[in-house]
Amino acid sequence: QAHVVESGGGLVQAGGSLRLSCVLSGSVSYFSIKHMAWYRQAPEKERELVAIIRDDNSTQYTDSVKGRFTISRDIVKNTAYLQMDSLIPEDTAVYSCNAREELPNKRFTYWGQGIQVTVSS
């Protein structure tokens, strides 16, 4: 199994940029990772899927971040990145990395502890 370590959050002014990193480490093969994704949860709101990148390199974004956020993945390093540009206060949330591993007889879902992103107006 693996564990997830996130980094790159913090405080930024509106219009600024941040890049989040998600490292999946431990006993995991990059061949078995089906997807890596970023979720976020703002205060008093439900958690939402922000962006996902699949093993075929296809990506998907929630409408509110399209054109501003870019998800990418370094397969060899088992690392996913979320480049966030043109940040707005509504992007303020705890961002969590999610990964899914599929083996012949087992499936695992991994979650990071979450990292705070705060965008000031």
Side-chain angles (χ1 to χ4, degrees), residues 85-121:
D85 298 319
S86 302
L87 284 160
I88 59 178
E90 290 75 17
D91 294 319
T92 295
V94 175
Y95 286 69
S96 299
C97 181
N98 164 273
R100 183 169 180 84
E101 180 183 22
E102 292 188 0
L103 300 172
N105 298 312
K106 293 181 182 179
R107 296 179 179 181
F108 299 98
T109 298
Y110 304 110
W111 285 97
Q113 290 190 333
I115 190 165
Q116 180 70 44
V117 171
T118 303
V119 184
S120 63
S121 57

